[in-house]
Amino acid sequence: MDTAPTCYKFIDITSDKKLRQGFITSANFPDNYDNSLNCEYVIHADPLHRIVFYFDQFNLEPSTGCTADKLVIEDLFSRRSETYCGIVPQFSWMSDSNEARIHFLTDDSQTYEGFVIGYEIKDRPPASEFNLHMTDSTETFTSPNFPEAYPKNSKVQYYIQVQPDKYILITFHEFWLESGDIVTTPWSSSRSQSPQPTLSCPDKIVVKDIYYSNFLLDTYCGHQQEFTWISRSNAVIVTFTSDANEEFRGFTVSYRSLQRTPPADWELIFRNVAGNYENTYSRWIDPRAYGFFPPDIKSTLYRELYKSDLMLDWTELGIKRIKINLYKDGVNVRQLRFYAEESKSNTDWFKCENLIYSPYTDLRECDLTGDDRRVFHLPFEIEDGHAADSNCSFGKMWFDLEDVSALTGFCYYETTSAGRPYFAYSTRDTAGDTSSGEGIGFADIFAIFIQRDCHDYVDLDTTATATVKSRLVRGLYIKNEVCDITVQLKPDERILMQFTHFVLQQGDCNQDYVEIEDVLSGAVDKICGTQDQMTWTSSGNSLLVRFRTDSAVAFTGFIATVSKEIRDIEDCSAVNYDDEGTLVNVVKPIPTTGFFLEDCTNVIHVHPSQKIVITFSKFDYQFDDCPQFRIDDRTDDAEGIVVYGSLYPFSWTSQSNELIISYCALTPYRNYLVYNATYTSISTIQAAAVISFKDAEIPGVFSWPQTTATNTDSFLIIRLHPNDLRRVILTISDFVLSDQSCSSFMKIIDTTTKRESMYCATEFQPFTWTSDANEVLLHFKHNSNEQHQVNADYRSYHRTRFDYYSFFTLEHFDESGSFTSPDYPTKYPNNRNYEEYLIHAPPSYIIVITFSKFSLEDETVTTTEIKCEHDFVELYDIQTDPVVFCGTKSPFAWVSTGNEVLVKFLSDSHTVKTGFFAKYHFQPRLSDQSCEGLFTADVGNFMSPGYPYQYDNNVVCQYRFQAAPGKKIHFKFLHLDIEDHVDCANDFITLIDVTSGKEKAFCGFKQNAPITWESDSNLVFGKFSSNDHYKFSGFLATYEVKNVDKSSACVQNFDGISGHVSSPWFPSSYPNDITCVYTITVAEGFLINLSFDFFDIEEKNTDTNACDYDYLSITNPVNSQENQIICGKKDDLQIGISNNVVVLTFHSDFIKVGPGFYITYTQTDQTGIQPITTGCDEQLTSLTGEFTTPNHPLNYPLNMDCVYTITVEKIYKIVLNFDPFNVEFQDTCKYDFVQVVDEAGGTDKKYCGRYSDPLIIHSTNNKLIIKFHSDNMTPSTGFRARYESWLLPTSAPIITGCPHIELTQKSGIISTPNFPRNYDLNLDCSIRIALPENYVCVIRFETFDLEDDEKCSYDYVKLLSLPGGEEQTICGNRNSFDWTSTTNICQVDFHSDEYITKGGFKATYEGVQIQNIIPTSSECVQTLMSQSGSFSSPNYPKYYDLNKECITTIFVPYGNVIEIKFTGFEVEYEENCSYDFVQITELPSQVKSPKYCGAFDEFKYTSKSNKVKVALSSDEYVSAKGYSASYKTISHY
């Protein structure tokens, strides 16, 4: 100490038992302390004890670092000390030894109320190496010897003390102590008031809040799951004791400190002045408020009685402490302070809840509490002015609230004027003498203050439920409220909190809000606004609820019921707090002995403003012993459902924010239970919205929910029980809403598939919306400025399995989509029941379906009817009855009446066929239904609007004519009087055959001979349109349905620059006994290329080896050498015709039929198809070269045998690249073929057919022999071959890299161990190649055969560019390929697992300088195979040539894609790029990019495959610079 204390007190609490507790107060308390104080208090106990200090009131001058007024408390043995200042809540401090000192220092500035500190002695724990004293904000501790068993006969104390403004949250993670028998004793918590069955606890933990030890003390033993314990103050003692019997594993514990709220200010609620006419007690119980808050409470200048309006809601205020002050001459002469809670025990001052903190210990057992909200009980009764309560009769402070009448008794201090209050008190250490008046003083002012505290602690030890709620004043919660509610149950219990009322300020939850924290998981929800059916289930035994309000507006607050449930201990149970997640069954292996049923419960909790949608993608639950799988809603008025069996995917939406999934599982046979569910929260459902549920099992109606609220969300859930296996169909008959901004809307959502549609504009015709699964959510958003009307009905309809179901729509309505039967074009499977295709269009569209291929099992024909009893397709128009088709049909079409079609396909166990191929598109329907129609009769008539009178201007009418498949429609115009135009561009009537595309427009005036028109198929669309010019009488027409003539489409002429030729009814089987002639004519001077996209007709006659049955004859009128006849099945066949005319003749006989053919013909520039003249036998010796089949790219001659021998220097090997390659295909290549002979490698292999990717072959040494053979029929375009010479690393050893090796040579050979034999299991090999800068690695894999897997997770090769470059993982069986690194260091990692082995790989590597591998290529026709490179149009940057088609083909290794970057681009511009253009084609899919023309600074194109074709096409007029581009390889893995 720097200076001697100015005040000093030594308190010895060793001898007199009565003095083992007491108080220390600051000078002048409860008035402000003085300046410049230096006071010291030393408290001394005997060595067996330590001292606990209870800081009940603490209010010193606040300062940073406590540099002004402060209190220092210190243990005089350990020298541990703490310094406090400012305002802090009640807290405790415990010494380490038997002696402590309090040092109180003040400066010369401000003064405050000071402090009240209680003290008492406590037994010191026995010495133990395991005792801990912890003061950090977070820490962990364990039982002695953990994780080994704790010792016997132990007693260990763990003292936790954090800062005064904090409290402590303790988590017991592992807990396993000895437990005894269950006995009927008070429950181990001191909070219980009645006997409870509990454990005898031979080994135990006792947790005690030091400040609230009479209230918060709990004992635990046995085996407990993870649980928590929460203190109310800043200090806790955890005491562990064990007996002499069994030892167990013990416990692990962690704690953390949480912020406490500061104490509330004292509020004056009642004040009276002595001598007033106001009767104190009668005014106290009067249910009214009086007067105004006096400006100076202590002064008698303001004499009126004051009673706060808070008194009107006495029981709602949450009063925790009360003080009564008596003032005389402006000085506080007496103060009584106490808790407003009932005492739990009156036997010991320090175990009493309502601690009366006053320096006058003889008043400590007085109880001032009461139940009546208007009656304030005194510490003793007033009877004739005497204190009658014996416990308080010797109190130093007492008072008379209201004088009695002189007629009822005589007291010295009483006034002679009855009814005027005087306030008497004792002026000495003992009670004043009421008979003589000795020791009695009189105060001027009597005042009552309260300190409100809305904090609450709920334990449910003695009750099943409790209610927590916001405090209200005149029906509204209190502003600037800071409330913390702790709910803490036993370790094996969890908490269910159900809010029956919740109305707070709406907003972003930063003003007024309730925050709920699940202590065990840390999950937190912050809630505000108005909520309905709100629940919270804890995962553990504790919850923290925080209620905060600001100073703005107040509402009616909240009321919640708290109850307890038994916590689930099964590993299949959980409480889930995420907004979305997955639930799956926990699968265990099949046991060898025994089983048991296990109850599993999953609670799903989302934010209270949200609802839950749980979606089961898989569900198979078939336990006979435990048949119930339940989905229950936490709300009381929602019935749960029981689901059972093998179900289709389904969803279920909660009515509250919590769902419970409960079932029992046969453990450990859980693999018989299969379910997989995901859940999400629907954040759009707000509590203020109108929410309703409907069951679609019974058809019903609904309309837009009626509400008067502005900008209100309303929700309607229409659903079916999942076991019904049905879907929901909505039919909206009226939808009126004119909101272009979509601020008002109706949204429909399938909660299972998440498919949704939004509608915000009036629909003029009824429409439907069909769900995919069992539940639909409708979201109505109402902007009060918009008028709306919705009238609709709902019903159910059966549905199929999800793997048999497909949904189709179109994003762009000018496009089309397609669907097929299963496994098309191969035969569909048996017993397909049902395959469903739902096609959905916008409300203002109908759906047109065209079946271009239809071959199902035939109809059942009886004498009375034709029925589809076996395999069939059903078209359900949703709004009308379904129609059914079966058998084999020529191409036909069908049109819906509404916006949805459900197509069903069924097959039985008998005959199967190829099925069907169908396309669909959307057709707008008119808002004026009077001007459109669907005609389905075999004969009829139709006319223009108003006929025979003039039609109106600006009219559009639609006519749809629907006949049966195999029919066509004949039209006859009896009268035609429409505005004339050479192209019928003004007014017109147009007829379109939907299937074939045949179209004709009619206009003008026709008076005499009728005009006729006939469709090719069964569906025709008619459109009548008039403009705003003239009016005429219109038209009158008839129609008639007729049978289709098989040969009607068999004689055709084609004269475009490109087109398609197909067999009749393709892709359906062609008819028997038909001969078709197709003549193709292109411009003179050009040639024709025929590309057979599909060819499958009857095979040749095996006796004659000729096409004697069904065949296609190809005739060149000017070159008979090109004539040929083909039949059978051909793959990727191309035939070139050296003339501008070719005749195709197709013939079928009476017996077999097949799918037919589909040919694409193109007009070809004659100069571009000139054959490359190469000799038939060639000796090639240069390092690079090129050769082709004779006449390439035209067809090679028949009966040819050519030999090409390539021989280069011995230090090289040969890499041969065929691109393109198109030779007649046969399984064993016995007709036409290319034979590659590698004598050194001992390989001799034939190739035929068509290769979409380049065919690349590596020789073993410097020589290859290539033989070409053609037979006497079916020539094709042959091949073009290029070859390169690569250095042979003949002297380099083969390196395997096991386990690891680094190479610096610029070339070498690498392989898997044992190559060419199978590699070993469980290998990890690595080869790193380090090359000089400006070099890259080019690795050429000649052989590659590893175990295959989609993700390459078993055996694989990983290729890396180091450091930080690209990497690529490869597995499976590959043709030879190259890989080029992007840096000068590359690495080849090889891994094999413990199962399958294969032949492995062999590769050569070479270091190549970077500048040598990226040449810019500008040839007109070129193929680029490097990993990266650059290319340009010919002559760039000079102008490209006219009338050219230049093609650059880029090929990179399999598993990669190509990024092309055009750095310069200037091509003749035209709006549709019809003159000059660049177009990129994906190979082999033939998918084309848009055409590019004009000028661009820079743009990129990324391919979808590893091969593309970049084509520049120019016409005969304007030229430009062309383009410059670069490309690089991007890994697709």
Side-chain angles (χ1 to χ4, degrees), residues 68 105 200 225 335 448 685 738 773 857 935 1149 1180 1314 1445 1459 1521:
L105 299 165
S200 58
Q225 56 184 315
Q335 182 185 84
I448 301 177
I685 296 187
S738 55
E857 187 175 358
F935 300 85
D1149 61 10
L1180 304 170
N1314 305 330
E1445 182 164 0
E1459 182 184 272
K1521 290 182 179 180

Side-chain angles (χ1 to χ4, degrees), residues 581-598:
T582 301
L583 300 180
V584 296
N585 60 308
V586 181
V587 179
K588 290 188 174 180
I590 297 176
T592 55
T593 60
F595 65 89
F596 62 93
L597 290 173
E598 187 174 56

